[in-house]
């Protein structure tokens, strides 16, 4: 099933996407799908980030090549950090370039959204806690990240977490789907999702050992090698095979 979250008559609404049409549902999809009979064509919809997070949990250095591209040691365990919910950005939304930074990077990733309260989840049970998968751009003020002892400021600026365009459970990251990032139409990142050092079930087990994930929370799984800077006016596009294309501009 494919889900979309949109603005409809001035209200944020969830729907199910099929054959180019979003059929709206009551409430959220976390507890099931109940159609209302309302619909809108996908191409006409104002898309919102397809999640309702109380927190945005991210994994750093989860692709080996990216872990070593800055000359740093490969971590022995997943590196967890959290972006504030105010960093959430919509498909097509503008990424605000902070005046305090001189280098803002793209980081194309895929993420997953939590279906139900997840605490102390065993990896073999991970699938029942995941509503679906989506594209993420973990935008990073690289100079600030390097200068600060913690990553919160460099990763946490408003608009620094575009998510979308849809959420789908018809996706298996272990099957090696392509994940690419384009800057102004030029391919910059190119990898496959099976190259994660720590796969999705392990990540869910690891994260929920220390914190409870709630319905609507999103976990972003890490970026491949070749992150790089963006400038004001640039257009960045994260493309994950089997999910879709997340495009944003920098202002």
């Amino acid at each position: 099933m494919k889900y979309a979250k949109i603005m409809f008559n001035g209200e944020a609404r969830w729907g199910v996407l099929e054959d180019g049409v979003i059929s709206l549902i009551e409430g959220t999809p976390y507890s099931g799908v109940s159609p209302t009979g309302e619909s809108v064509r996908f191409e006409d919809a104002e898309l919102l980030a397809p999640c309702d997070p109380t927190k945005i949990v991210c994994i750093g250095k989860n692709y080996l090549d990216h872990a070593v591209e800055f000359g740093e040691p490969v971590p022995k365990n997943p590196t967890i950090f959290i972006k504030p919910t105010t960093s959430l950005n919509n498909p097509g939304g503008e990424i605000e370039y902070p005046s305090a930074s001189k280098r803002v990077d793209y980081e194309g990733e895929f993420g997953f959204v939590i279906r139900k309260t997840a605490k102390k989840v065993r990896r073999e049970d991970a699938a029942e806690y995941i509503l679906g998968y989506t594209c993420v751009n973990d935008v990073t003020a690289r100079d600030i990240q390097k200068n600060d002892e913690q990553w919160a400021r460099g990763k946490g600026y408003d608009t620094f977490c575009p998510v979308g365009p849809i959420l789908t459970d018809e996706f298996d990251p272990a099957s090696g789907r392509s994940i690419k990032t384009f800057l102004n139409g030029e391919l910059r990142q190119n990898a496959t999702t099976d190259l994660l050092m720590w796969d999705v079930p392990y990540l869910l087990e690891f994260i929920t050992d220390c914190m409870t994930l709630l319905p609507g929370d999103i976990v972003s799984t890490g970026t491949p090698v070749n992150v790089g800077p963006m400038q004001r006016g640039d257009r960045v596009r994260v493309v994950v095979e089997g999910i879709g294309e997340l495009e944003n501009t920098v202002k």
Side-chain angles (χ1 to χ4, degrees):
M1 191 171 289
K2 297 178 180 178
Y3 305 95
K5 190 179 180 185
I6 67 172
M7 284 299 294
F8 184 79
N9 292 336
E11 182 183 3
R13 297 283 300 276
W14 279 93
V16 174
L17 175 62
E18 187 174 9
D19 296 328
V21 175
I22 301 171
S23 299
L24 299 183
I25 64 172
E26 295 181 3
T28 68
Y30 311 118
S31 57
V33 171
S34 180
T36 65
E38 303 162 293
S39 65
V40 61
R41 292 196 58 80
F42 182 76
E43 61 188 22
D44 298 328
E46 180 184 348
L47 295 175
L48 302 176
C51 53
D52 300 294
T54 67
K55 51 191 169 293
I56 300 167
V57 181
C58 301
I59 304 298
K61 305 176 185 177
N62 199 11
Y63 290 80
L64 179 60
D65 287 348
H66 173 59
V68 301
E69 73 175 316
F70 291 115
E72 299 174 356
V74 176
K76 296 180 180 179
N77 293 300
T79 300
I80 300 176
F81 61 95
I82 294 179
K83 284 179 175 272
T85 57
T86 49
S87 69
L88 191 66
N89 201 348
N90 299 320
E94 292 183 323
I95 298 167
E96 299 174 6
Y97 201 113
S99 59
S101 177
K102 291 182 170 52
R103 175 168 170 169
V104 175
D105 284 8
Y106 53 80
E107 292 194 10
E109 311 189 4
F110 76 90
F112 58 92
V113 173
I114 298 301
R115 177 193 301 275
K116 62 182 182 179
T117 300
K119 182 178 176 64
K120 304 291 185 183
V121 174
R122 299 181 303 172
R123 60 175 301 151
E124 57 265 30
D125 299 327
E128 67 184 81
Y129 291 87
I130 297 173
L131 180 65
Y133 295 86
T134 191
C135 306
V136 180
N137 189 347
D138 174 23
V139 180
T140 304
R142 189 69 65 198
D143 50 349
I144 292 175
Q145 180 196 23
K146 288 185 176 181
N147 289 334
D148 289 359
E149 292 186 6
Q150 299 291 333
W151 293 4
R153 190 165 66 111
K155 296 281 192 176
Y157 278 93
D158 291 353
T159 74
F160 265 29
C161 191
V163 176
I166 65 166
L167 184 68
T168 177
D169 60 10
E170 302 169 9
F171 178 81
D172 178 13
S175 65
R177 297 298 187 98
S178 66
I179 177 168
K180 300 178 180 181
T181 304
F182 296 83
L183 187 68
N184 299 322
E186 180 181 340
L187 180 64
R188 294 299 180 88
Q189 292 183 286
N190 187 7
T192 54
T193 58
D194 59 333
L195 295 177
L196 294 178
M197 290 191 289
W198 296 287
D199 63 13
V200 167
Y202 183 88
L203 291 177
L204 190 55
E205 182 178 77
F206 187 82
I207 294 166
T208 62
D209 184 59
C210 72
M211 70 181 78
T212 300
L213 299 177
L214 301 177
D217 284 351
I218 182 168
V219 177
S220 196
T221 58
T223 195
V225 70
N226 291 330
V227 300
M230 304 179 291
Q231 306 299 328
R232 292 176 177 86
D234 282 351
R235 177 171 50 90
V236 60
R237 183 161 50 101
V238 178
V239 182
V240 182
E241 181 185 7
I243 298 178
E245 302 185 4
L246 171 66
E247 184 170 312
N248 299 86
T249 55
V250 184
K251 75 167 187 178

